[in-house]
mmCIF file of all heavy atoms in Angstrom:
data_model
loop_
_atom_site.group_PDB
_atom_site.id
_atom_site.type_symbol
_atom_site.label_atom_id
_atom_site.label_comp_id
_atom_site.label_asym_id
_atom_site.label_seq_id
_atom_site.Cartn_x
_atom_site.Cartn_y
_atom_site.Cartn_z
ATOM 1 N N ALA A 120 46.286 -153.834 47.216
ATOM 2 C CA ALA A 120 47.168 -152.829 47.806
ATOM 3 C C ALA A 120 46.632 -151.455 47.391
ATOM 4 O O ALA A 120 46.502 -151.164 46.188
ATOM 5 C CB ALA A 120 48.572 -152.999 47.345
ATOM 6 N N ILE A 121 46.412 -150.588 48.384
ATOM 7 C CA ILE A 121 45.976 -149.243 48.149
ATOM 8 C C ILE A 121 47.186 -148.330 48.209
ATOM 9 O O ILE A 121 48.110 -148.535 49.061
ATOM 10 C CB ILE A 121 44.888 -148.811 49.138
ATOM 11 C CG1 ILE A 121 44.295 -147.437 48.754
ATOM 12 C CG2 ILE A 121 45.394 -148.736 50.560
ATOM 13 C CD1 ILE A 121 43.084 -147.032 49.576
ATOM 14 N N SER A 122 47.234 -147.303 47.353
ATOM 15 C CA SER A 122 48.331 -146.356 47.382
ATOM 16 C C SER A 122 47.817 -145.051 46.876
ATOM 17 O O SER A 122 46.667 -144.944 46.383
ATOM 18 C CB SER A 122 49.487 -146.834 46.530
ATOM 19 O OG SER A 122 49.128 -146.987 45.202
ATOM 20 N N ARG A 123 48.655 -144.009 47.042
ATOM 21 C CA ARG A 123 48.299 -142.679 46.564
ATOM 22 C C ARG A 123 49.492 -141.961 46.052
ATOM 23 O O ARG A 123 50.609 -142.188 46.554
ATOM 24 C CB ARG A 123 47.568 -141.884 47.678
ATOM 25 C CG ARG A 123 48.386 -141.598 48.853
ATOM 26 C CD ARG A 123 47.550 -141.031 50.023
ATOM 27 N NE ARG A 123 46.948 -139.750 49.647
ATOM 28 C CZ ARG A 123 45.914 -139.202 50.238
ATOM 29 N NH1 ARG A 123 45.275 -139.897 51.217
ATOM 30 N NH2 ARG A 123 45.403 -138.054 49.828
ATOM 31 N N ASP A 124 49.307 -141.020 45.163
ATOM 32 C CA ASP A 124 50.340 -140.121 44.682
ATOM 33 C C ASP A 124 49.824 -138.714 44.868
ATOM 34 O O ASP A 124 49.012 -138.192 44.082
ATOM 35 C CB ASP A 124 50.670 -140.431 43.220
ATOM 36 C CG ASP A 124 51.828 -139.568 42.726
ATOM 37 O OD1 ASP A 124 52.128 -138.549 43.297
ATOM 38 O OD2 ASP A 124 52.457 -140.009 41.745
ATOM 39 N N ASN A 125 50.230 -138.101 45.930
ATOM 40 C CA ASN A 125 49.697 -136.755 46.265
ATOM 41 C C ASN A 125 50.100 -135.658 45.230
ATOM 42 O O ASN A 125 49.415 -134.694 45.104
ATOM 43 C CB ASN A 125 50.115 -136.301 47.671
ATOM 44 C CG ASN A 125 49.323 -137.066 48.730
ATOM 45 O OD1 ASN A 125 48.301 -137.664 48.507
ATOM 46 N ND2 ASN A 125 49.810 -137.013 49.978
ATOM 47 N N ALA A 126 51.190 -135.914 44.570
ATOM 48 C CA ALA A 126 51.662 -134.967 43.516
ATOM 49 C C ALA A 126 50.697 -135.019 42.311
ATOM 50 O O ALA A 126 50.601 -133.982 41.581
ATOM 51 C CB ALA A 126 53.058 -135.266 43.096
ATOM 52 N N LYS A 127 50.085 -136.182 42.112
ATOM 53 C CA LYS A 127 49.167 -136.330 40.922
ATOM 54 C C LYS A 127 47.710 -136.307 41.361
ATOM 55 O O LYS A 127 46.831 -136.527 40.493
ATOM 56 C CB LYS A 127 49.478 -137.609 40.271
ATOM 57 C CG LYS A 127 50.836 -137.708 39.640
ATOM 58 C CD LYS A 127 51.087 -139.031 38.909
ATOM 59 C CE LYS A 127 52.405 -139.052 38.248
ATOM 60 N NZ LYS A 127 52.639 -140.382 37.512
ATOM 61 N N ASN A 128 47.439 -136.103 42.633
ATOM 62 C CA ASN A 128 46.026 -136.062 43.134
ATOM 63 C C ASN A 128 45.284 -137.358 42.693
ATOM 64 O O ASN A 128 44.128 -137.306 42.307
ATOM 65 C CB ASN A 128 45.271 -134.872 42.595
ATOM 66 C CG ASN A 128 45.744 -133.558 43.226
ATOM 67 O OD1 ASN A 128 46.513 -133.554 44.185
ATOM 68 N ND2 ASN A 128 45.347 -132.481 42.647
ATOM 69 N N THR A 129 46.001 -138.476 42.838
ATOM 70 C CA THR A 129 45.458 -139.750 42.384
ATOM 71 C C THR A 129 45.634 -140.844 43.405
ATOM 72 O O THR A 129 46.685 -140.907 44.016
ATOM 73 C CB THR A 129 46.056 -140.105 41.005
ATOM 74 O OG1 THR A 129 45.819 -139.097 40.070
ATOM 75 C CG2 THR A 129 45.446 -141.412 40.471
ATOM 76 N N MET A 130 44.669 -141.696 43.534
ATOM 77 C CA MET A 130 44.792 -142.892 44.387
ATOM 78 C C MET A 130 44.632 -144.118 43.508
ATOM 79 O O MET A 130 44.081 -144.089 42.425
ATOM 80 C CB MET A 130 43.659 -142.880 45.437
ATOM 81 C CG MET A 130 42.289 -142.799 44.891
ATOM 82 S SD MET A 130 41.017 -142.535 46.129
ATOM 83 C CE MET A 130 40.980 -144.165 46.860
ATOM 84 N N TYR A 131 45.125 -145.262 44.040
ATOM 85 C CA TYR A 131 45.135 -146.454 43.298
ATOM 86 C C TYR A 131 44.730 -147.665 44.111
ATOM 87 O O TYR A 131 44.825 -147.630 45.336
ATOM 88 C CB TYR A 131 46.555 -146.746 42.729
ATOM 89 C CG TYR A 131 47.178 -145.637 41.963
ATOM 90 C CD1 TYR A 131 48.011 -144.712 42.583
ATOM 91 C CD2 TYR A 131 46.889 -145.460 40.609
ATOM 92 C CE1 TYR A 131 48.558 -143.650 41.889
ATOM 93 C CE2 TYR A 131 47.480 -144.390 39.905
ATOM 94 C CZ TYR A 131 48.270 -143.507 40.559
ATOM 95 O OH TYR A 131 48.828 -142.468 39.846
ATOM 96 N N LEU A 132 44.192 -148.699 43.432
ATOM 97 C CA LEU A 132 43.938 -149.964 44.106
ATOM 98 C C LEU A 132 44.467 -151.064 43.195
ATOM 99 O O LEU A 132 43.868 -151.276 42.070
ATOM 100 C CB LEU A 132 42.453 -150.154 44.369
ATOM 101 C CG LEU A 132 42.109 -151.430 45.142
ATOM 102 C CD1 LEU A 132 42.634 -151.317 46.574
ATOM 103 C CD2 LEU A 132 40.587 -151.657 45.124
ATOM 104 N N LEU A 133 45.545 -151.704 43.602
ATOM 105 C CA LEU A 133 46.083 -152.798 42.795
ATOM 106 C C LEU A 133 45.442 -154.095 43.374
ATOM 107 O O LEU A 133 45.548 -154.350 44.552
ATOM 108 C CB LEU A 133 47.615 -152.849 42.997
ATOM 109 C CG LEU A 133 48.318 -154.053 42.296
ATOM 110 C CD1 LEU A 133 48.061 -154.067 40.807
ATOM 111 C CD2 LEU A 133 49.770 -154.021 42.628
ATOM 112 N N MET A 134 44.831 -154.826 42.481
ATOM 113 C CA MET A 134 44.079 -156.002 42.882
ATOM 114 C C MET A 134 44.701 -157.204 42.242
ATOM 115 O O MET A 134 44.765 -157.346 40.989
ATOM 116 C CB MET A 134 42.591 -155.894 42.451
ATOM 117 C CG MET A 134 41.915 -154.641 42.971
ATOM 118 S SD MET A 134 40.165 -154.561 42.588
ATOM 119 C CE MET A 134 40.257 -154.360 40.804
ATOM 120 N N ASN A 135 45.274 -158.079 43.029
ATOM 121 C CA ASN A 135 45.929 -159.310 42.563
ATOM 122 C C ASN A 135 45.097 -160.548 42.982
ATOM 123 O O ASN A 135 44.320 -160.484 43.885
ATOM 124 C CB ASN A 135 47.360 -159.418 43.119
ATOM 125 C CG ASN A 135 48.247 -158.340 42.619
ATOM 126 O OD1 ASN A 135 48.232 -157.975 41.439
ATOM 127 N ND2 ASN A 135 49.088 -157.787 43.514
ATOM 128 N N SER A 136 45.402 -161.683 42.373
ATOM 129 C CA SER A 136 44.703 -162.955 42.712
ATOM 130 C C SER A 136 43.241 -162.773 42.828
ATOM 131 O O SER A 136 42.598 -163.193 43.781
ATOM 132 C CB SER A 136 45.336 -163.444 44.024
ATOM 133 O OG SER A 136 46.683 -163.668 43.980
ATOM 134 N N LEU A 137 42.690 -162.137 41.807
ATOM 135 C CA LEU A 137 41.241 -161.824 41.836
ATOM 136 C C LEU A 137 40.427 -163.114 41.851
ATOM 137 O O LEU A 137 40.771 -164.091 41.206
ATOM 138 C CB LEU A 137 40.883 -160.938 40.660
ATOM 139 C CG LEU A 137 41.247 -159.483 40.823
ATOM 140 C CD1 LEU A 137 41.299 -158.759 39.514
ATOM 141 C CD2 LEU A 137 40.331 -158.776 41.818
ATOM 142 N N LYS A 138 39.268 -163.030 42.546
ATOM 143 C CA LYS A 138 38.341 -164.161 42.665
ATOM 144 C C LYS A 138 36.974 -163.708 42.117
ATOM 145 O O LYS A 138 36.668 -162.518 42.127
ATOM 146 C CB LYS A 138 38.228 -164.523 44.159
ATOM 147 C CG LYS A 138 39.505 -164.840 44.826
ATOM 148 C CD LYS A 138 39.263 -165.084 46.319
ATOM 149 C CE LYS A 138 40.528 -165.414 47.059
ATOM 150 N NZ LYS A 138 40.307 -165.621 48.509
ATOM 151 N N PRO A 139 36.154 -164.642 41.740
ATOM 152 C CA PRO A 139 34.841 -164.289 41.256
ATOM 153 C C PRO A 139 34.042 -163.510 42.277
ATOM 154 O O PRO A 139 33.243 -162.605 41.903
ATOM 155 C CB PRO A 139 34.176 -165.650 40.988
ATOM 156 C CG PRO A 139 35.315 -166.572 40.611
ATOM 157 C CD PRO A 139 36.429 -166.085 41.484
ATOM 158 N N GLU A 140 34.241 -163.723 43.549
ATOM 159 C CA GLU A 140 33.555 -162.994 44.579
ATOM 160 C C GLU A 140 33.996 -161.550 44.709
ATOM 161 O O GLU A 140 33.389 -160.728 45.449
ATOM 162 C CB GLU A 140 33.641 -163.692 45.924
ATOM 163 C CG GLU A 140 35.019 -164.076 46.340
ATOM 164 C CD GLU A 140 35.376 -165.491 45.994
ATOM 165 O OE1 GLU A 140 35.054 -165.978 44.857
ATOM 166 O OE2 GLU A 140 35.989 -166.211 46.862
ATOM 167 N N ASP A 141 35.029 -161.153 43.994
ATOM 168 C CA ASP A 141 35.484 -159.733 43.989
ATOM 169 C C ASP A 141 34.686 -158.942 42.957
ATOM 170 O O ASP A 141 34.820 -157.723 42.885
ATOM 171 C CB ASP A 141 36.946 -159.658 43.609
ATOM 172 C CG ASP A 141 37.853 -160.266 44.682
ATOM 173 O OD1 ASP A 141 37.620 -159.994 45.878
ATOM 174 O OD2 ASP A 141 38.872 -160.950 44.305
ATOM 175 N N THR A 142 33.823 -159.619 42.180
ATOM 176 C CA THR A 142 33.018 -158.906 41.164
ATOM 177 C C THR A 142 32.097 -157.934 41.839
ATOM 178 O O THR A 142 31.344 -158.290 42.758
ATOM 179 C CB THR A 142 32.218 -159.946 40.394
ATOM 180 O OG1 THR A 142 33.081 -160.765 39.625
ATOM 181 C CG2 THR A 142 31.257 -159.258 39.390
ATOM 182 N N ALA A 143 32.177 -156.689 41.415
ATOM 183 C CA ALA A 143 31.399 -155.624 42.012
ATOM 184 C C ALA A 143 31.632 -154.329 41.247
ATOM 185 O O ALA A 143 32.529 -154.233 40.459
ATOM 186 C CB ALA A 143 31.718 -155.436 43.451
ATOM 187 N N VAL A 144 30.854 -153.305 41.606
ATOM 188 C CA VAL A 144 31.189 -151.939 41.180
ATOM 189 C C VAL A 144 32.043 -151.351 42.291
ATOM 190 O O VAL A 144 31.701 -151.424 43.488
ATOM 191 C CB VAL A 144 29.935 -151.065 40.985
ATOM 192 C CG1 VAL A 144 30.359 -149.660 40.647
ATOM 193 C CG2 VAL A 144 29.045 -151.699 39.878
ATOM 194 N N TYR A 145 33.202 -150.808 41.929
ATOM 195 C CA TYR A 145 34.150 -150.252 42.862
ATOM 196 C C TYR A 145 34.064 -148.724 42.862
ATOM 197 O O TYR A 145 34.090 -148.141 41.764
ATOM 198 C CB TYR A 145 35.549 -150.737 42.536
ATOM 199 C CG TYR A 145 35.810 -152.149 42.974
ATOM 200 C CD1 TYR A 145 35.228 -153.212 42.284
ATOM 201 C CD2 TYR A 145 36.640 -152.462 44.040
ATOM 202 C CE1 TYR A 145 35.419 -154.541 42.692
ATOM 203 C CE2 TYR A 145 36.864 -153.785 44.400
ATOM 204 C CZ TYR A 145 36.254 -154.789 43.718
ATOM 205 O OH TYR A 145 36.485 -156.140 44.154
ATOM 206 N N TYR A 146 34.060 -148.173 44.064
ATOM 207 C CA TYR A 146 33.913 -146.763 44.196
ATOM 208 C C TYR A 146 35.077 -146.205 45.024
ATOM 209 O O TYR A 146 35.444 -146.757 46.058
ATOM 210 C CB TYR A 146 32.621 -146.396 44.964
ATOM 211 C CG TYR A 146 31.382 -146.826 44.304
ATOM 212 C CD1 TYR A 146 30.822 -148.068 44.570
ATOM 213 C CD2 TYR A 146 30.673 -145.942 43.438
ATOM 214 C CE1 TYR A 146 29.605 -148.466 43.993
ATOM 215 C CE2 TYR A 146 29.471 -146.352 42.837
ATOM 216 C CZ TYR A 146 28.952 -147.571 43.116
ATOM 217 O OH TYR A 146 27.808 -148.007 42.496
ATOM 218 N N CYS A 147 35.617 -145.058 44.591
ATOM 219 C CA CYS A 147 36.583 -144.371 45.438
ATOM 220 C C CYS A 147 35.836 -143.259 46.189
ATOM 221 O O CYS A 147 34.833 -142.772 45.776
ATOM 222 C CB CYS A 147 37.732 -143.801 44.563
ATOM 223 S SG CYS A 147 37.248 -142.613 43.317
ATOM 224 N N ALA A 148 36.407 -142.905 47.344
ATOM 225 C CA ALA A 148 35.744 -141.944 48.207
ATOM 226 C C ALA A 148 36.780 -141.077 48.926
ATOM 227 O O ALA A 148 37.903 -141.558 49.230
ATOM 228 C CB ALA A 148 34.885 -142.688 49.230
ATOM 229 N N LEU A 149 36.382 -139.836 49.273
ATOM 230 C CA LEU A 149 37.256 -138.874 49.918
ATOM 231 C C LEU A 149 36.676 -138.564 51.278
ATOM 232 O O LEU A 149 35.470 -138.292 51.495
ATOM 233 C CB LEU A 149 37.270 -137.584 49.086
ATOM 234 C CG LEU A 149 38.249 -136.533 49.415
ATOM 235 C CD1 LEU A 149 39.678 -137.039 49.175
ATOM 236 C CD2 LEU A 149 37.983 -135.292 48.506
ATOM 237 N N ASP A 150 37.528 -138.624 52.311
ATOM 238 C CA ASP A 150 37.172 -138.415 53.705
ATOM 239 C C ASP A 150 36.554 -136.980 53.874
ATOM 240 O O ASP A 150 36.998 -136.056 53.178
ATOM 241 C CB ASP A 150 38.418 -138.593 54.571
ATOM 242 C CG ASP A 150 38.067 -138.773 56.064
ATOM 243 O OD1 ASP A 150 36.973 -138.404 56.489
ATOM 244 O OD2 ASP A 150 38.962 -139.265 56.815
ATOM 245 N N ARG A 151 35.689 -136.830 54.798
ATOM 246 C CA ARG A 151 35.089 -135.532 55.047
ATOM 247 C C ARG A 151 35.915 -134.671 56.001
ATOM 248 O O ARG A 151 35.795 -133.446 56.037
ATOM 249 C CB ARG A 151 33.676 -135.683 55.566
ATOM 250 C CG ARG A 151 33.543 -136.291 56.965
ATOM 251 C CD ARG A 151 32.111 -136.303 57.473
ATOM 252 N NE ARG A 151 31.261 -137.162 56.681
ATOM 253 C CZ ARG A 151 30.264 -136.669 55.909
ATOM 254 N NH1 ARG A 151 30.060 -135.424 55.826
ATOM 255 N NH2 ARG A 151 29.501 -137.513 55.268
ATOM 256 N N LEU A 152 36.845 -135.291 56.798
ATOM 257 C CA LEU A 152 37.648 -134.594 57.729
ATOM 258 C C LEU A 152 39.092 -134.381 57.225
ATOM 259 O O LEU A 152 39.655 -135.289 56.678
ATOM 260 C CB LEU A 152 37.642 -135.345 59.077
ATOM 261 C CG LEU A 152 36.404 -135.414 59.808
ATOM 262 C CD1 LEU A 152 36.589 -136.123 61.178
ATOM 263 C CD2 LEU A 152 35.785 -134.021 60.108
ATOM 264 N N VAL A 153 39.641 -133.215 57.547
ATOM 265 C CA VAL A 153 41.009 -132.945 57.221
ATOM 266 C C VAL A 153 41.937 -133.696 58.152
ATOM 267 O O VAL A 153 41.798 -133.715 59.349
ATOM 268 C CB VAL A 153 41.348 -131.426 57.366
ATOM 269 C CG1 VAL A 153 42.826 -131.194 57.213
ATOM 270 C CG2 VAL A 153 40.524 -130.633 56.368
ATOM 271 N N ARG A 154 42.905 -134.489 57.523
ATOM 272 C CA ARG A 154 43.954 -135.191 58.284
ATOM 273 C C ARG A 154 43.367 -135.966 59.469
ATOM 274 O O ARG A 154 43.867 -135.844 60.565
ATOM 275 C CB ARG A 154 45.031 -134.239 58.703
ATOM 276 C CG ARG A 154 45.690 -133.513 57.506
ATOM 277 C CD ARG A 154 46.982 -132.846 57.855
ATOM 278 N NE ARG A 154 47.627 -132.317 56.647
ATOM 279 C CZ ARG A 154 48.879 -131.865 56.578
ATOM 280 N NH1 ARG A 154 49.640 -131.869 57.657
ATOM 281 N NH2 ARG A 154 49.339 -131.377 55.484
ATOM 282 N N ARG A 155 42.382 -136.750 59.197
ATOM 283 C CA ARG A 155 41.808 -137.624 60.243
ATOM 284 C C ARG A 155 42.933 -138.485 60.863
ATOM 285 O O ARG A 155 43.758 -139.054 60.150
ATOM 286 C CB ARG A 155 40.746 -138.534 59.652
ATOM 287 C CG ARG A 155 39.988 -139.343 60.638
ATOM 288 C CD ARG A 155 39.081 -140.343 59.954
ATOM 289 N NE ARG A 155 37.965 -139.741 59.225
ATOM 290 C CZ ARG A 155 36.788 -139.416 59.733
ATOM 291 N NH1 ARG A 155 36.532 -139.728 60.994
ATOM 292 N NH2 ARG A 155 35.856 -138.879 58.978
ATOM 293 N N VAL A 156 42.931 -138.590 62.218
ATOM 294 C CA VAL A 156 44.027 -139.288 62.858
ATOM 295 C C VAL A 156 43.909 -140.795 62.694
ATOM 296 O O VAL A 156 44.889 -141.514 62.448
ATOM 297 C CB VAL A 156 44.092 -138.895 64.391
ATOM 298 C CG1 VAL A 156 45.124 -139.738 65.113
ATOM 299 C CG2 VAL A 156 44.339 -137.405 64.519
ATOM 300 N N VAL A 157 42.668 -141.332 62.901
ATOM 301 C CA VAL A 157 42.451 -142.791 62.823
ATOM 302 C C VAL A 157 41.644 -143.088 61.597
ATOM 303 O O VAL A 157 40.547 -142.555 61.382
ATOM 304 C CB VAL A 157 41.755 -143.262 64.084
ATOM 305 C CG1 VAL A 157 41.459 -144.795 63.993
ATOM 306 C CG2 VAL A 157 42.478 -142.913 65.338
ATOM 307 N N LEU A 158 42.166 -144.029 60.731
ATOM 308 C CA LEU A 158 41.462 -144.419 59.546
ATOM 309 C C LEU A 158 40.091 -145.057 59.976
ATOM 310 O O LEU A 158 40.076 -145.817 60.917
ATOM 311 C CB LEU A 158 42.265 -145.397 58.728
ATOM 312 C CG LEU A 158 43.302 -144.838 57.835
ATOM 313 C CD1 LEU A 158 44.134 -145.958 57.208
ATOM 314 C CD2 LEU A 158 42.720 -143.954 56.745
ATOM 315 N N THR A 159 39.101 -144.798 59.171
ATOM 316 C CA THR A 159 37.823 -145.416 59.465
ATOM 317 C C THR A 159 37.356 -146.189 58.222
ATOM 318 O O THR A 159 37.602 -145.837 57.137
ATOM 319 C CB THR A 159 36.796 -144.296 59.830
ATOM 320 O OG1 THR A 159 35.506 -144.978 60.017
ATOM 321 C CG2 THR A 159 36.636 -143.312 58.704
#
């Protein structure tokens, strides 16, 4: 589950029921467009 707290300028990723195939380096990223209408 992804979420954000705009008051804290922070985003989150809650990961449940983790599997070995979820093993990876995880990166957060910021969109280049202001208020993009359609998520990409």
Side-chain angles (χ1 to χ4, degrees):
I121 188 172
S122 61
R123 65 189 297 160
D124 185 336
N125 286 344
K127 295 182 178 179
N128 290 350
T129 302
M130 58 189 284
Y131 306 96
L132 184 68
L133 176 61
M134 305 184 292
N135 295 318
S136 302
L137 282 161
K138 305 174 181 180
E140 51 263 44
D141 294 318
T142 296
V144 177
Y145 283 71
Y146 299 90
C147 59
L149 191 65
D150 197 340
R151 67 176 66 247
L152 293 182
V153 173
R154 299 197 176 189
R155 185 187 295 270
V156 174
V157 178
L158 278 175
T159 178

